Amino acid sequence: MRLFQLARLTLPGLAVGFIAGVVAGGLAAFVGQPAGWALVSALTLGVPLGLLGAGYTMLLVNGKVRLGGFAPAAVYWLVGFPLARLLHEVLTRLILTGQPGLPPDPLGFLAYQGIVSAGFAIGFLWLHERVAPRYWQRLAAHDDQAREVYLRYASHARVIVEANERRRAARGRKPKAGTGPR
């Protein structure tokens, strides 16, 4: 796979991760931090989260993680999110004060970020699952790998819908309008 094609296929994860970091920078500005500080915060968190998001998408595209599964995303971000936050802390301190430094209690910091990573994984996966398939559907007309990934998503969605319909039928309920296979 060419580097350009890989970069194009991983764009959804890159975008979702980067936007999450930029939102953190926006929140810093919202609570009254100077604009320069907020920009540094946005970039020092957005870039690592964007690169990690692209890495997650690369694993997904290459079939290394299960589609729509929370457990693989949670494990990935259990490692990735604390590392991104640690890098964010070190780089922000370096850029703003000129001296690198770790948080006062690095192990406690990493443990707390590991706990927070579950929430981040939920948000990342939710947004990624809404953005990526639509993006790959648009690329599918001229990119075979994007078509393959999109068709895997469509097949996965079909299996989920059919399983839900069977479960409803077993309970004696009618399927919801507009949820059947197309």
Side-chain angles (χ1 to χ4, degrees), residues 33-135:
Q33 297 298 330
W37 185 307
L39 179 62
V40 167
S41 186
L43 292 176
T44 59
L45 187 56
V47 171
L49 288 179
L51 293 173
L52 285 164
Y56 177 82
T57 305
M58 187 184 328
L59 292 173
L60 190 71
V61 165
N62 290 310
K64 304 298 182 193
V65 293
R66 184 171 39 97
L67 296 176
F70 174 68
V75 170
Y76 183 85
W77 288 109
L78 178 64
V79 175
F81 186 78
L83 292 177
R85 282 286 294 120
L86 183 63
L87 188 60
H88 171 241
E89 288 289 317
V90 170
L91 289 176
T92 299
R93 185 172 298 170
L94 176 64
I95 292 168
L96 295 177
T97 68
Q99 297 182 349
L102 294 173
D105 177 15
L107 293 179
F109 175 84
L110 290 172
Y112 178 74
Q113 297 308 317
I115 293 167
V116 172
S117 73
F120 182 82
I122 290 168
F124 177 87
L125 187 62
W126 182 85
L127 191 54
H128 191 272
E129 293 290 307
R130 272 125 195 94
V131 171
R134 288 182 174 93
Y135 174 75

Side-chain angles (χ1 to χ4, degrees), residues 1-10 58 61-62 142-145:
M1 182 182 316
R2 295 185 322 261
L3 184 60
F4 174 74
Q5 182 185 26
L6 182 61
R8 190 168 60 175
L9 289 173
T10 60
M58 187 184 328
V61 165
N62 290 310
H142 46 77
D143 186 320
D144 292 338
Q145 183 132 20

